[in-house]
Amino acid sequence: MWHAQRKVIAGILSFIFLGLVVYGGMTKVYVPEGTKLEVKVLDTDFVQEFPHMFTKVDSGLTMTEGIQNGLSITGRTIWAGMKSTWADYSDGFPDGLFKKILWLIFGIPIEAIKYFFVYLVMFFMFIYKLFPLGDDGYKLSLILSSLIPPLIVVLVSIIQPEDDSPSHDKAEKTALN
């Protein structure tokens, strides 16, 4: 594939990823009426802490709710991870100029790595807890739709050209004297 085409496809996929994450971050997770759901990560029960994340439905969960739940879990996990990383980074500035400079440089990577693992565990806990709540179509669509945004990121990293100059493959000819 040519350089310009790869760049356009990577841009379109990035836009789709952003749209899916924003959509997932703004939507709710469907659970059947009367379900006792408990998702605990590091002594925090997310169902009790954030009840506005969930919508109870009267009937069983179908493929449509599985797609919705998968995108919602992925989007909410990514948004919550970014918000937590930034909040801890901005609150973590210590006293003293030298410590502030060190935190300025190393704070975001430290917080990003920490919250990556915390929210990765939370993501899989949500999938594990929501998986048995519906029929086979729900289960399949939950797994597949929760993996779509991460797969888009992998595709973008594969497709994205490494160099911005289209003459990357051309070697410069030099004259020998």
Side-chain angles (χ1 to χ4, degrees):
M1 220 183 276
W2 292 334
H3 178 82
Q5 291 171 330
R6 289 173 49 184
K7 198 170 187 176
V8 168
I9 291 172
I12 291 170
L13 287 174
S14 298
F15 185 71
I16 291 171
F17 169 76
L18 181 62
L20 288 175
V21 169
V22 169
Y23 173 76
M26 295 174 58
T27 58
K28 297 185 178 199
V29 176
Y30 291 107
V31 292
E33 189 73 41
T35 302
K36 174 69 174 125
L37 186 64
E38 182 179 277
V39 180
K40 280 189 160 184
V41 178
L42 299 176
D43 294 332
T44 301
D45 187 0
F46 284 90
V47 178
Q48 289 181 353
E49 289 280 328
F50 308 104
H52 63 279
M53 274 179 59
F54 301 94
T55 299
K56 303 227 183 226
V57 292
D58 295 333
S59 61
L61 299 176
T62 62
M63 187 180 286
T64 306
E65 283 90 11
I67 293 169
Q68 173 69 32
N69 284 354
L71 291 175
S72 180
I73 290 169
T74 305
R76 286 185 177 272
T77 302
I78 292 170
W79 275 118
M82 290 181 357
K83 287 187 334 189
S84 297
T85 298
W86 182 255
D88 275 7
Y89 170 72
S90 60
D91 291 342
F93 278 96
D95 294 333
L97 181 64
F98 183 69
K99 290 180 182 177
K100 284 184 181 183
I101 291 172
L102 285 177
W103 186 250
L104 183 69
I105 296 168
F106 297 112
I108 287 186
I110 289 169
E111 293 297 328
I113 290 168
K114 177 176 82 173
Y115 280 109
F116 172 78
F117 289 111
V118 168
Y119 282 98
L120 186 67
V121 168
M122 187 185 81
F123 173 77
F124 286 116
M125 287 299 295
F126 265 113
I127 297 292
Y128 175 74
K129 295 292 185 166
L130 292 174
F131 190 75
L133 299 180
D135 60 0
D136 290 338
Y138 167 80
K139 292 174 183 177
L140 180 65
S141 61
L142 174 70
I143 297 295
L144 291 178
S145 65
S146 65
L147 294 178
I148 289 173
L151 288 175
I152 290 175
V153 170
V154 170
L155 280 174
V156 167
S157 68
I158 291 170
I159 293 173
Q160 180 70 32
E162 294 83 25
D163 189 71
D164 284 338
S165 65
S167 63
H168 178 64
D169 295 330
K170 297 178 185 176
E172 300 248 357
K173 295 182 180 180
T174 59
L176 297 174
N177 289 347

